[in-house]
Amino acid sequence: MTAHAVRSAYLGWLATAIAKVRGATSAIAGDEQDLVLGYATGYDSADVAIFVRSLRSHYSGAIALVVDPDPELRDFLKSYDVETLDAPDLALEGGDWTPHPVVSRFAGFDALLRSRPWVRNALLTDVRDVVFQASPLEPAPEGLEFFAECETPLSLHDFNMKYIRAVGGEKLAEAVADQACICVGTVIGPREQLMRFCRLILMLGAIPRSEIGGAFGADQATCNLAVHLGLLEGQVMPNHSRVATLGMVPTSKLTLKEGMIHNPDGSVSPIVHQYDRHPLLMTAMWSRWAADVEKRERCRPKTLGDRIDKVVQSVKRRTLELR
């Protein structure tokens, strides 16, 4: 019997992303040190100013951001001793299919960490909606650290459950439904453990059809499945610990004191994620860290092509893929 190749755009992309791609050689060398690593493609100086300036006020170690070839942005980041990186080329040979950036960034993280053997511990993080209130990697993590984004379990979060079902099926979704809702936007740990984590969630994305495994939301689903099914070792830290994720926290439970965001219990987290969901906090952080930067509103009207593309993607998610 003649063997046939698996016809899956995601699997083809994955082979390139994991097996072939290597990150650009780091401009930093020397003894082991920590690294804050983020993807900031599609952003300008106004989008990253709060992240970079607040981080630099508490942390003197290595920072690297994947950004567009924007000279103004790169000059801004250079002035804060931030290494600017081109995104690794992850395009599928012979085609133009790529996963959503929230998925493909983990292949980039893996490649960039592989090329930086000097990294001791790293923070893989969102950029636009993160502000720092202390050094993010102190105390040093003892292993992988994941962070819950709320006190309620996954079963109460329709978005996460939708993609967990899509990625792993109804039974696996039921198996993790009573577990903590982990946010994949901030993950901390030793370099080699982070690389294994990145590869694992990318491999879990290969279970369903390409248009699901590579979709927005699949990163959250695969992260929660990997952790809660015990496929890797790591601690799930409660919200408002090293990281405070505020997207689902009522504004009335948060306070501002001397420019710092205080948690409902009065504590202060070193890393605050999704503060921009609260206009009061966004205004305060902008005033403190980016008052001199021109703020540009992001408002792009939906075109007919956008609407058609949304319908096409919806149909693809529901169509059997030949494998």
Short mmCIF file of all heavy atoms in Angstrom, two decimals, residues 40-43 66-75 84-87:
data_model
loop_
_atom_site.label_atom_id
_atom_site.label_comp_id
_atom_site.label_asym_id
_atom_site.label_seq_id
_atom_site.Cartn_x
_atom_site.Cartn_y
_atom_site.Cartn_z
N ALA A 40 5.68 42.31 19.70
CA ALA A 40 5.05 43.63 19.59
C ALA A 40 4.88 44.01 18.12
O ALA A 40 4.96 45.19 17.77
CB ALA A 40 5.88 44.68 20.33
N THR A 41 4.64 43.03 17.26
CA THR A 41 4.41 43.33 15.85
C THR A 41 3.06 44.05 15.71
O THR A 41 2.11 43.75 16.43
CB THR A 41 4.41 42.05 15.01
OG1 THR A 41 3.50 41.11 15.59
CG2 THR A 41 5.80 41.43 14.97
N GLY A 42 3.02 45.00 14.79
CA GLY A 42 1.80 45.77 14.58
C GLY A 42 1.67 46.95 15.53
O GLY A 42 0.68 47.68 15.47
N TYR A 43 2.65 47.17 16.39
CA TYR A 43 2.59 48.24 17.37
C TYR A 43 3.55 49.36 17.02
O TYR A 43 4.53 49.17 16.30
CB TYR A 43 2.94 47.72 18.77
CG TYR A 43 1.98 46.70 19.33
CD1 TYR A 43 2.36 45.87 20.38
CD2 TYR A 43 0.69 46.53 18.81
CE1 TYR A 43 1.49 44.93 20.92
CE2 TYR A 43 -0.18 45.59 19.33
CZ TYR A 43 0.23 44.79 20.39
OH TYR A 43 -0.63 43.86 20.91
N VAL A 66 10.03 41.37 19.62
CA VAL A 66 9.86 41.17 18.18
C VAL A 66 8.97 42.28 17.66
O VAL A 66 7.84 42.45 18.14
CB VAL A 66 9.23 39.80 17.89
CG1 VAL A 66 8.98 39.62 16.40
CG2 VAL A 66 10.13 38.68 18.43
N VAL A 67 9.48 43.05 16.70
CA VAL A 67 8.76 44.24 16.23
C VAL A 67 8.83 44.33 14.71
O VAL A 67 9.60 43.62 14.05
CB VAL A 67 9.34 45.53 16.85
CG1 VAL A 67 9.16 45.55 18.36
CG2 VAL A 67 10.82 45.70 16.50
N ASP A 68 8.04 45.24 14.16
CA ASP A 68 8.08 45.52 12.73
C ASP A 68 9.32 46.35 12.40
O ASP A 68 9.93 46.96 13.28
CB ASP A 68 6.82 46.30 12.31
CG ASP A 68 5.55 45.49 12.52
OD1 ASP A 68 5.62 44.26 12.41
OD2 ASP A 68 4.51 46.10 12.82
N PRO A 69 9.70 46.42 11.11
CA PRO A 69 10.86 47.23 10.71
C PRO A 69 10.52 48.72 10.67
O PRO A 69 10.56 49.36 9.61
CB PRO A 69 11.20 46.68 9.33
CG PRO A 69 9.91 46.16 8.80
CD PRO A 69 9.17 45.61 9.98
N ASP A 70 10.15 49.27 11.80
CA ASP A 70 9.75 50.67 11.94
C ASP A 70 10.91 51.43 12.59
O ASP A 70 11.17 51.26 13.79
CB ASP A 70 8.49 50.75 12.80
CG ASP A 70 8.03 52.16 13.08
OD1 ASP A 70 8.80 53.12 12.82
OD2 ASP A 70 6.90 52.33 13.58
N PRO A 71 11.63 52.28 11.84
CA PRO A 71 12.82 52.95 12.39
C PRO A 71 12.51 53.77 13.64
O PRO A 71 13.30 53.77 14.60
CB PRO A 71 13.29 53.85 11.24
CG PRO A 71 12.75 53.20 10.01
CD PRO A 71 11.43 52.62 10.41
N GLU A 72 11.38 54.47 13.65
CA GLU A 72 11.04 55.30 14.82
C GLU A 72 10.85 54.43 16.06
O GLU A 72 11.35 54.75 17.15
CB GLU A 72 9.76 56.09 14.53
CG GLU A 72 9.32 56.97 15.70
CD GLU A 72 8.02 57.70 15.42
OE1 GLU A 72 7.62 57.80 14.23
OE2 GLU A 72 7.39 58.17 16.39
N LEU A 73 10.13 53.32 15.90
CA LEU A 73 9.91 52.42 17.03
C LEU A 73 11.22 51.81 17.50
O LEU A 73 11.50 51.75 18.70
CB LEU A 73 8.93 51.31 16.62
CG LEU A 73 8.74 50.16 17.62
CD1 LEU A 73 8.22 50.67 18.94
CD2 LEU A 73 7.82 49.10 17.03
N ARG A 74 12.04 51.38 16.57
CA ARG A 74 13.30 50.73 16.94
C ARG A 74 14.25 51.71 17.63
O ARG A 74 14.97 51.35 18.55
CB ARG A 74 13.94 50.08 15.71
CG ARG A 74 13.12 48.88 15.22
CD ARG A 74 13.80 48.07 14.16
NE ARG A 74 13.00 46.88 13.83
CZ ARG A 74 13.49 45.67 13.66
NH1 ARG A 74 14.79 45.45 13.79
NH2 ARG A 74 12.70 44.65 13.36
N ASP A 75 14.25 52.96 17.20
CA ASP A 75 15.07 53.97 17.87
C ASP A 75 14.56 54.21 19.29
O ASP A 75 15.36 54.37 20.23
CB ASP A 75 15.04 55.29 17.09
CG ASP A 75 15.87 55.22 15.82
OD1 ASP A 75 16.68 54.28 15.68
OD2 ASP A 75 15.70 56.11 14.96
N THR A 84 15.80 44.75 19.63
CA THR A 84 14.70 44.62 18.69
C THR A 84 14.99 43.48 17.73
O THR A 84 16.09 43.36 17.19
CB THR A 84 14.46 45.92 17.91
OG1 THR A 84 15.68 46.32 17.26
CG2 THR A 84 14.03 47.04 18.86
N LEU A 85 13.98 42.64 17.50
CA LEU A 85 14.15 41.43 16.72
C LEU A 85 13.16 41.39 15.58
O LEU A 85 12.01 41.83 15.71
CB LEU A 85 13.92 40.20 17.60
CG LEU A 85 14.73 40.11 18.90
CD1 LEU A 85 14.19 38.97 19.77
CD2 LEU A 85 16.20 39.92 18.61
N ASP A 86 13.60 40.84 14.47
CA ASP A 86 12.67 40.50 13.39
C ASP A 86 11.99 39.19 13.74
O ASP A 86 12.59 38.30 14.36
CB ASP A 86 13.41 40.34 12.06
CG ASP A 86 14.06 41.62 11.60
OD1 ASP A 86 13.47 42.70 11.80
OD2 ASP A 86 15.18 41.55 11.05
N ALA A 87 10.74 39.05 13.35
CA ALA A 87 10.04 37.79 13.60
C ALA A 87 10.70 36.68 12.79
O ALA A 87 11.01 36.87 11.60
CB ALA A 87 8.58 37.92 13.20
#
